[in-house]
Amino acid sequence: MRLLYTVVLCLVVPLIVARLMSRGFRERAYRDRISERFGLGTHIGSRRGCLWVHAASVGEVQAATPIVRALESRYPGETILVTTTTPTGAQRAVETFGDSVVHRYLPFDLPWTMARYLDRVKPRVAIIMETEIWPNLMALCRAREVPVVLANARLSERSASRYRMFRRLYTPVFRGVAAVAAQSDKDAIRLASIGAPQECIDVTGNTKFDVPIPTGLRENAAALRRTWGATRRVWIAASTHQGEESQILAAFEQVHNRLPESLLILVPRHPERFPEAEALARRCGLISVLRSQRTTDCTKAQVYIGDTMGELLLLYAAADVAFVGGSLVEIGGHNVLEPAALGVPVFFGPHHFNFAEISRQLVEAGGAEIIIDTAHLARSVIRHLEDEDLRSNAGEKGRAFVKSGRGAWERVIAMITPHVEGHVTD
């Protein structure tokens, strides 16, 4: 089955490269460092090897942050390698860790590219965030006696169904997994159903609850609000995808009719779509301003486009209520814990299966509301912007919910430590 998988991947890789190059014409980061995708140029400057953490994209980098920080603290002499698969993940890793870690792109899961990569980086432990299950990579790690730990592992029922269709491929893969730190009991059950050994699975919680709040964030958010007009009511629609912005702008029209001084912060998920979002707002006849312009007087702006990277927490902190995207279209939703941790009431659409358990719990805690359609979104935003007590109550409930889930990173580190200790050279 792994041979068949490799053959199929050989046919698919040229298409992936073509897509990366095509997107690279609009966003250079997609075509930069393309050689790393084939295991070339991956030297890390350490003959002793490294402690390797793989975090596919932005969300995984966030989940990995407390783990990487703990590794830095406990093993100060070790080289820590962080790999991603997306340019946005790469940028977030660089912004978060700076020069304290080495960043590389993870190669395609072809046996020869992965072998070349492992020869060059010499990982002594592989910590894979969430559900990045690569058959050839894991087989090669097993052959080289590199322990693989799945950290903050999650698996939706939809994904589990797909994996079960190829159980003959994935069951052998899990034989090389040293430990699985699952986010929840349901994740643990699903992971076991696709071949993860029960004795290797432990439920540790979700490290995304350990959202770090940067020093001075609230002061900076207050300063940003002053550029908009300190008394204006502000709502944010973040991590939006194609097909969502039009719905959000339709909701904004209703909100604006009721609250003419209100401001919408619009933050598309992918950087290459920033110009598209601005153009859409302008076509709707709205006055829009780009965050990247650093305009000091935005009092006349109606839509503020968050077209910078690494500032989403700042924009959440500057808003009164937050809608989290990828949920009005069938993407599966994005992280709802960031705005909740800041005491901002959260809304999201019906398609939140990537965060189903957390979303359900946050709604039950009173910190979030599921939005069915555009009209529902407009009504909920208006209700919360007009009622300060309602807004404050929902925000505090969300904040308390996030606080109650903190500490997962410590349990994950406790699970990882025996495998790191056994492979770190003094």
Side-chain angles (χ1 to χ4, degrees), residues 282-300:
R282 291 188 182 277
R283 284 199 299 272
C284 292
L286 300 171
I287 301 171
S288 62
V289 173
L290 297 174
R291 166 64 180 161
S292 59
Q293 294 173 336
R294 307 291 173 178
T295 306
T296 56
D297 184 1
C298 300
T299 52
K300 294 182 180 180

Side-chain angles (χ1 to χ4, degrees), residues 134-147:
W134 298 107
N136 285 321
L137 167 62
M138 292 187 173
L140 287 167
C141 284
R142 183 185 182 192
R144 295 168 186 236
E145 298 184 343
V146 177

Side-chain angles (χ1 to χ4, degrees), residues 14 21 57 69 101 106 134 150 216 229 243 248 257 284 308 310 346 423:
M21 296 303 290
S57 194
R69 295 301 189 202
V101 306
L106 183 72
W134 298 107
L150 295 183
I248 288 159
N257 287 339
C284 292
T308 56
V346 182
H423 290 78

Side-chain angles (χ1 to χ4, degrees), residues 4-249:
L4 178 60
Y5 161 81
T6 301
V7 170
V8 172
L9 192 57
C10 285
L11 298 174
V12 171
V13 162
L15 301 177
I16 298 174
V17 173
R19 186 168 183 267
L20 288 171
M21 296 303 290
S22 175
R23 295 186 72 173
F25 286 112
R26 292 172 293 168
E27 188 74 19
R28 181 175 176 176
Y30 282 92
R31 68 177 189 270
D32 283 349
R33 298 164 60 185
I34 197 76
S35 62
E36 292 180 18
R37 310 280 187 171
F38 294 93
L40 301 169
T42 52
H43 290 290
I44 60 171
S46 173
R47 294 183 180 180
R48 297 175 58 205
C50 64
L51 307 180
W52 169 33
V53 178
H54 175 60
S57 194
V58 174
E60 290 81 3
V61 171
Q62 178 195 332
T65 298
I67 295 172
V68 172
R69 295 301 189 202
L71 293 175
E72 287 178 322
S73 175
R74 296 187 181 203
Y75 309 103
E78 297 298 323
T79 298
I80 297 176
L81 170 66
V82 175
T83 57
T84 63
T85 55
T86 69
T88 50
Q91 185 168 350
R92 176 60 66 89
V94 172
E95 290 170 348
T96 302
F97 305 118
D99 296 332
S100 66
V101 306
V102 177
H103 173 268
R104 295 290 183 268
Y105 282 113
L106 183 72
F108 297 120
D109 193 34
L110 298 168
W112 47 91
T113 60
M114 280 299 183
R116 184 185 299 123
Y117 162 78
L118 293 174
D119 286 342
R120 296 185 178 197
V121 305
K122 300 180 178 63
R124 291 197 296 282
V125 64
I127 302 166
I128 312 296
M129 299 304 299
E130 303 204 355
T131 320
E132 289 283 303
I133 304 171
W134 298 107
N136 285 321
L137 167 62
M138 292 187 173
L140 287 167
C141 284
R142 183 185 182 192
R144 295 168 186 236
E145 298 184 343
V146 177
V148 175
V149 178
L150 295 183
N152 214 47
R154 67 181 176 91
L155 194 65
S156 68
E157 185 54 45
R158 177 181 292 192
S159 296
S161 297
R162 287 198 293 265
Y163 279 116
R164 288 187 202 108
M165 292 173 62
F166 302 98
R167 184 164 182 145
R168 287 180 59 196
L169 172 64
Y170 288 103
T171 297
V173 166
F174 277 106
R175 291 176 188 149
V177 175
V180 179
Q183 291 185 16
S184 69
D185 291 331
K186 290 183 179 179
D187 290 311
I189 292 169
R190 290 171 188 146
L191 286 159
S193 76
I194 64 170
Q198 292 273 9
E199 64 274 14
C200 294
I201 303 174
D202 195 7
V203 177
T204 55
N206 189 341
T207 59
K208 287 181 179 177
F209 277 90
D210 300 301
V211 180
I213 307 300
T215 303
L217 179 69
R218 298 193 183 281
E219 291 78 6
N220 293 334
L224 180 57
R225 283 194 71 126
R226 286 194 290 272
T227 69
W228 302 333
T231 62
R232 298 179 74 181
R233 295 276 67 90
V234 181
W235 63 293
I236 182 172
S239 296
T240 59
H241 290 255
Q242 189 168 25
E244 282 189 311
E245 288 92 358
S246 58
Q247 298 182 66
I248 288 159
L249 289 171

